[in-house]
Amino acid sequence: PEDASGKHILEIDPKMSFGTGYHESTRLMLRFLPDLIRGGECVLDAGTGTGILAIAAVRLGAASVIAFDISRWAEENARENVALNDVGDRVDVRLGPIREAVPETGFDVVLANIERDPLLALLPAFAEKLRAEGRLVLAGLTDADEPAMRSGIAEQGLTIEREIRENEWWSVVLRHAEAGADSA
């Protein structure tokens, strides 16, 4: 587009996967990324879908991204979109559940745009994968999900650093509670 100066253009062929930038939850995640990716970060994209968040993270300067999904369709689609956007040298797309697909830990940023119940189930694994001063970004949540999510977040020793809303959709940036508010 003519008005795209200073913006990153991502080409996404969604096929059967979620993540085009048209849904509120994806837009909320994309709005957080420029503040979290400043250059050189190691990122985990959980439930990558089309790979849009992994691609955006690399375009913003992430050194590397591991993007995984439990769906073979999504994994194949993410690989195609990573190639389409020429970021395959920094995005490693994997298939399988987090504990099998991602043995690594110490991520600077963990991204997960899924739904409430899977997010609640994955919170312990996300907390383990995140480095002490890292950030966990969650979306795919509605206003109705907020009470259960706040409880699950607190149970994992995480705290909400920032939150934004669009229509009935809610997204949060979390950090380890012991990391302190000044470790941004």
Side-chain angles (χ1 to χ4, degrees):
E2 290 180 29
D3 63 345
S5 66
K7 307 233 188 257
H8 298 274
I9 305 299
L10 309 179
E11 293 184 56
I12 302 296
D13 179 0
K15 298 199 174 173
M16 300 287 290
S17 302
F18 182 81
T20 61
Y22 290 109
H23 192 273
E24 291 95 333
S25 64
T26 306
R27 285 197 304 266
L28 291 170
M29 294 288 282
L30 291 169
R31 285 174 46 195
F32 277 134
L33 283 183
D35 292 334
L36 299 172
I37 307 295
R38 297 183 179 128
E41 291 82 5
C42 183
V43 177
L44 177 63
D45 179 14
T48 194
T50 63
I52 188 171
L53 299 176
I55 295 163
V58 166
R59 289 281 176 84
L60 289 167
S64 64
V65 179
I66 294 175
F68 76 96
D69 207 296
I70 60 171
S71 162
R72 165 99 30 220
W73 286 98
E75 180 246 355
E76 290 174 6
N77 189 212
R79 285 185 190 283
E80 292 169 358
N81 286 317
V82 163
L84 181 63
N85 286 273
D86 197 29
V87 294
D89 59 329
R90 291 193 282 165
V91 179
D92 179 4
V93 180
R94 301 178 183 179
L95 176 66
I98 190 169
R99 299 212 188 268
E100 295 171 22
V102 187
E104 297 88 346
T105 61
F107 290 92
D108 299 299
V109 179
V110 175
L111 307 170
N113 181 12
I114 312 176
E115 294 175 332
R116 183 194 66 203
D117 291 341
L119 284 174
L120 284 170
L122 287 165
L123 274 175
F126 292 156
E128 290 172 12
K129 298 292 180 189
L130 198 62
R131 71 175 178 85
E133 296 79 25
R135 299 296 184 269
L136 169 59
V137 187
L138 305 178
L141 301 164
T142 65
D143 293 336
D145 298 327
E146 187 174 344
M149 287 306 301
R150 285 188 183 275
S151 176
I153 288 164
E155 287 173 17
Q156 292 308 312
L158 300 166
T159 187
I160 295 175
E161 184 176 88
R162 288 184 285 166
E163 55 189 295
I164 54 176
R165 298 175 192 276
E166 185 175 334
N167 299 318
E168 74 274 10
W169 296 93
W170 178 57
S171 182
V172 293
V173 175
L174 309 174
R175 62 175 167 76
H176 288 287
E178 68 273 6
D182 60 335
S183 62

